[in-house]
Amino acid sequence: MREFLAGAGLLVRGLGQWRRTPGAMALGLIPGTLVGLVFAAALVTWGIVLPDLVVAWTPFAETWAPAWAGTVRAAIGIASFGAALLIAVVSFTAVTLAVGEPFYDRIWRATERSATGLVPDAEYGFWRAAGDSVRLILRGIVAAAVAWAIGLVPFVGGILGFVTGVLLTGWLLADELTSRALSARGLDRRARRALLRRHRARALGFGVATQLCFLVPLGAVAVMPAAVAGSTLWAHAALGIPTRPVSATSTRPAPPADRPADPAR
């Protein structure tokens, strides 16, 4: 539990990047806002049409007692909306990271400079971000399907499905968000996931905290820049990279990206 809470704390530390580089963090709100409007409209539409769809999916329940028919249809409706919500969260992250690649690259670089004094010389790039996004969406669909199936269990399925979905998608978010900082240090996909498994509790803590924030209305838009910053700090902690505390009131400029920080600082 201590490692889990430490992972969640890294998201909180990511919020501290607003004090150090408010300009870069503010720019990170733009792609999230645009993508969020599209996904919010899609979820609202899904919620409107879902009751009629559930009735069409369950013609066999027409001859049942009203209580049983209502229970089964409610379980299917809740599970279906929950699955759509999980897919929306994962897809939002994937699409926003791809669309906002230049914005989040600036946040990553700013976090690297303020935390370590230098930026690893590695390009991430739009096409790499797009490929990672497609993989994240596909894995998110599988996670949502698992949560949906569990959610069909009467009475307790809604809670179990929600918990399962949050854990699965939290893991996926941690994997995707940390990929930039880890790839910049030469770790390929297999090495990144091996590192996540070694620090499973901390990865889940960070991912679940991010996921829960994303479920709050407008939370995904507001928290996305902090999630990018926090994932960079997660990579530093997992790799044992020394970081330096930065005063919230410090106005001293960060050192250039091509050289380490002055050890006298």
Side-chain angles (χ1 to χ4, degrees), residues 178-217:
T178 58
S179 61
R180 182 188 303 269
L182 296 177
S183 296
R185 290 174 168 82
L187 277 71
D188 60 16
R189 189 177 302 112
R190 180 177 298 179
R192 294 199 308 265
R193 289 178 182 169
L195 185 67
L196 285 168
R197 288 192 293 271
R198 286 202 300 271
H199 301 276
R200 189 182 303 273
R202 184 169 293 195
L204 274 175
F206 175 75
V208 167
T210 303
Q211 162 78 326
L212 291 176
C213 289
F214 280 10
L215 293 177
V216 176

Side-chain angles (χ1 to χ4, degrees), residues 71-232:
T71 299
V72 169
R73 285 171 171 167
I76 294 174
I78 292 171
S80 298
F81 188 83
L85 185 60
L86 294 178
I87 292 175
V89 168
V90 173
S91 300
F92 169 85
T93 303
V95 174
T96 303
L97 287 176
V99 172
E101 161 60 22
F103 300 95
Y104 299 125
D105 184 71
R106 289 187 61 175
I107 293 174
W108 166 67
R109 291 178 181 276
T111 306
E112 291 282 5
R113 288 192 189 98
S114 61
T116 68
L118 65 143
V119 179
D121 185 16
E123 293 295 332
Y124 194 70
F126 171 79
W127 291 112
R128 184 169 186 172
D132 286 346
S133 297
V134 171
R135 281 187 289 270
L136 177 61
I137 292 173
L138 294 176
R139 296 169 68 197
I141 291 173
V142 174
V146 172
W148 179 82
I150 294 174
L152 294 178
V153 178
F155 306 112
V156 297
I159 296 175
L160 293 178
F162 175 79
V163 172
T164 301
V166 167
L167 290 175
L168 291 177
T169 53
W171 177 261
L172 295 181
L173 291 180
D175 184 8
E176 176 66 15
L177 288 167
T178 58
S179 61
R180 182 188 303 269
L182 296 177
S183 296
R185 290 174 168 82
L187 277 71
D188 60 16
R189 189 177 302 112
R190 180 177 298 179
R192 294 199 308 265
R193 289 178 182 169
L195 185 67
L196 285 168
R197 288 192 293 271
R198 286 202 300 271
H199 301 276
R200 189 182 303 273
R202 184 169 293 195
L204 274 175
F206 175 75
V208 167
T210 303
Q211 162 78 326
L212 291 176
C213 289
F214 280 10
L215 293 177
V216 176
L218 301 180
V221 175
V223 174
M224 186 58 126
V228 174
S231 66
T232 305

Side-chain angles (χ1 to χ4, degrees), residues 37-72:
L37 289 173
V38 175
F39 277 79
L43 280 174
V44 170
T45 302
W46 178 245
I48 292 173
V49 303
L50 186 57
D52 291 336
L53 289 176
V54 170
V55 172
W57 292 341
T58 56
F60 53 84
E62 294 294 339
T63 59
W64 293 5
W68 282 110
T71 299
V72 169

